[in-house]
Amino acid sequence: ILKNKKSYDIQGDPMIENKERKFLHDISSPVGTAIFVLDIVLDTLKSHTNPPEELIQIQQLSGIFERIKTLIEERRREITQETLEK
């Protein structure tokens, strides 16, 4: 692969792309699980007459995990697009 290229493009290396795909796949499951569990906790806390003060912090945490999920999805789309363009 490297012999035919004058400059080394990391995005063109199938081995690196496969490692990144695997990483994205591996991290997606725990992030999805965290979002699921946080949603259950939030629903439970919201149903209380006097929700605890920690509710706001848990909502913030849920937002953080949603952002991570979005970043993972965006990167997956980028990799797929890059692959299709080759």
Side-chain angles (χ1 to χ4, degrees):
I1 293 175
L2 293 177
K3 291 180 184 177
N4 297 332
K5 290 188 173 187
K6 290 184 179 180
S7 65
Y8 184 66
D9 179 9
I10 220 169
Q11 292 179 341
D13 188 332
M15 201 166 162
I16 291 173
E17 286 178 7
N18 287 337
K19 285 182 180 181
E20 186 176 9
R21 285 177 193 263
K22 183 181 180 330
F23 171 76
L24 291 172
H25 173 77
D26 291 348
I27 200 169
S28 293
S29 182
V31 168
T33 301
I35 290 169
F36 177 75
V37 171
L38 282 170
D39 285 345
I40 292 172
V41 170
L42 283 171
D43 288 345
T44 302
L45 291 176
K46 287 177 185 176
S47 69
H48 290 125
T49 328
N50 295 316
E53 294 176 13
E54 291 80 14
L55 179 60
I56 293 170
Q57 293 168 326
I58 295 171
Q59 288 172 322
Q60 290 172 338
L61 186 58
S62 180
I64 291 167
F65 274 104
E66 287 291 342
R67 178 67 180 136
I68 292 169
K69 178 183 165 193
T70 300
L71 291 170
I72 291 168
E73 291 168 350
E74 288 172 356
R75 185 58 190 144
R76 269 193 184 143
R77 281 193 295 278
E78 289 173 6
I79 292 173
T80 301
Q81 187 63 34
E82 290 168 2
T83 303
L84 292 174
E85 291 174 354
K86 290 181 184 179

